[in-house]
Amino acid sequence: MGIEQTLSIVKPDAVAKGVIGKIVDRFESRGLRIAGMKKIQLSTADVEAFYAVHKERGFFKDLVKYMSSGPVVAMVLEGENAVIENRIIMGATDPKNAVAGTIRADFAESIEANAVHGSDSDENAKKEIAFFFSKREIL
């Protein structure tokens, strides 16, 4: 695979808990470099656009409400096999199924408030990074 970039979002529940630094440390400790980072408040329209692939799913309205409920921290992570490595560090979507020591096992409240988002493929990573960051914001 080689050096890749992927998107990670620290979700509103984790931001509210004040664990941004602890989450960033997990990525950096595993060899992923922060190539871009920003704290922002997503609007309803932002969330609807970002998660448009889930529009027809039953959880979409709750997802939009949740992701626009408070600030998030968006990051471009860079490193060897970054997409896969990020997914391993995050843990299973449902924190009840997440391996001890993963972000979701340690910081998530529920399957809905699961602390972090991570791109699921290199193709989606490119789209998701472009949604949040201009080229000049990624160093």
Side-chain angles (χ1 to χ4, degrees):
M1 283 272 178
I3 301 298
E4 298 175 335
Q5 291 182 334
T6 191
L7 183 80
S8 178
I9 302 172
V10 180
K11 293 182 176 182
D13 60 300
V15 172
K17 285 183 199 171
V19 295
I20 298 165
K22 291 177 181 179
I23 290 172
V24 168
D25 181 59
R26 301 283 177 103
F27 297 129
E28 291 183 324
S29 295
R30 292 283 297 266
L32 294 176
R33 185 180 76 79
I34 308 299
M37 184 164 64
K38 62 172 81 172
K39 185 176 186 181
I40 58 174
Q41 175 68 52
L42 297 172
S43 69
T44 298
D46 292 333
V47 179
E48 289 174 344
F50 184 75
Y51 286 108
V53 67
H54 298 303
K55 189 172 186 166
E56 301 304 319
R57 295 191 158 173
F59 62 81
F60 184 71
K61 286 182 183 180
D62 288 338
L63 176 63
V64 171
K65 183 177 177 182
Y66 162 62
M67 288 297 292
S68 61
S69 69
V72 300
V73 175
M75 292 178 277
V76 178
L77 304 175
E78 184 175 81
E80 190 77 26
N81 302 316
V83 173
I84 293 169
E85 190 65 25
N86 179 32
R87 306 229 19 115
I88 292 167
I89 296 165
M90 287 190 314
T93 303
D94 185 343
K96 290 184 276 185
N97 299 327
V99 174
T102 62
I103 292 170
R104 288 179 172 151
D106 293 345
F107 302 115
E109 296 175 18
S110 66
I111 194 168
E112 294 84 17
N114 63 5
V116 286
H117 165 91
S119 302
D120 63 2
S121 68
D122 188 51
E123 179 183 347
N124 283 339
K126 287 176 174 60
K127 292 175 191 173
E128 292 180 354
I129 289 168
F131 185 90
F132 282 95
F133 293 90
S134 68
K135 295 245 187 246
R136 66 184 245 189
E137 293 176 302
I138 302 170
L139 307 172

